[in-house]
Structures are given as structure tokens and as C-alpha cells.
Amino acid sequence: MAQSSRSCVHAAIVVLLILTAVMLLALFTRTTPHPPLEVAPFALAPFLGASLAIGAVAFQLGRDGGRVGSAFALLFALTALISFGPQKYLDPAFSRIWPAVITAQGAIIVIAFFGVKALIERVGSAR
């Protein structure tokens, strides 16, 4: 992955780390609009903690642009979709949470775009 691509993905990971941490803090402090305590099939706080851990690994391993770092970045983007995915447009609190949702979706798109691009480049160079 080129340096500029790594920088974009790294920045997108930071965006998702911050938004997920803010969401977890809102949950703990019950600051409205806070996320629900539970979503089927799990409690949200442990999930957000796991998501932050995956994001931290993606941030650390993403520095070299290797496959493992890219895989963790994509996994982190997938976990962010639980909290910030398109289903949030139907959330009754959307009028109050839209800045976080739109920002997170932009970061998810950046991670997905550069992740898929790097995968295609690797497959092409392997031939």
C-alpha cells in the first residue's frame, strides 16, 4: 500500500476510534442520545470495547501497510457498521446523531476503498 493510502486509512482509523470512544463514554454516562445498553445478541459496552481493541491493533499494525494491518482495519470498519451503519438513518435519534453517523460512514468508506484497492494490487502483482 502506498504511503498516501496508508495515511488515509490511518486517519480513518483514528476517526472511528474517537467516535467509538465517544459512544462508549455516552453509554457509561447516559448522556443523551446514548446508545442502548443492549442490542441483540450482546451487551453494547463489551462490543464497543472489543471494537476499540480491534481498532487499536489496526492503528498499530497499519503503519507498515501489511496484510494483517489491512485485515484488522477492514474488521474494525465492519464493527463500526454495527454502530454507524446505514440502519442509523431509520433511528429515531438520527436528527441528533447524524454528524457522527456521516463522519463514521466516510471513514468506513475510506478504509473499505483502500483495503479493496490494496487487495486488488496484491493479487495483480502476484500474477
Side-chain angles (χ1 to χ4, degrees), residues 1 3 5-7 9-10 13-14 17 52-76 122:
M1 189 181 296
Q3 179 61 37
S5 299
R6 278 198 305 268
S7 295
V9 170
H10 224 73
I13 289 169
V14 170
L17 282 169
L52 285 170
I54 292 166
V57 171
F59 181 82
Q60 181 63 32
L61 296 180
R63 294 174 190 227
D64 64 1
R67 278 188 249 183
V68 176
S70 295
F72 271 97
L74 287 169
L75 181 59
F76 185 41
R122 284 188 190 115

Side-chain angles (χ1 to χ4, degrees), residues 27-108:
L27 178 72
F28 285 155
T29 62
R30 305 279 174 102
T31 304
T32 56
H34 63 80
L37 296 176
E38 292 190 25
V39 291
F42 47 77
L44 198 54
F47 173 79
L48 292 175
S51 179
L52 285 170
I54 292 166
V57 171
F59 181 82
Q60 181 63 32
L61 296 180
R63 294 174 190 227
D64 64 1
R67 278 188 249 183
V68 176
S70 295
F72 271 97
L74 287 169
L75 181 59
F76 185 41
L78 286 174
T79 65
L81 282 174
I82 302 288
S83 302
F84 302 108
Q87 74 278 6
K88 289 298 176 180
Y89 292 110
L90 304 176
D91 192 306
F94 184 73
S95 64
R96 296 182 292 164
I97 62 171
W98 69 266
V101 172
I102 302 298
T103 303
Q105 287 178 358
I108 291 165

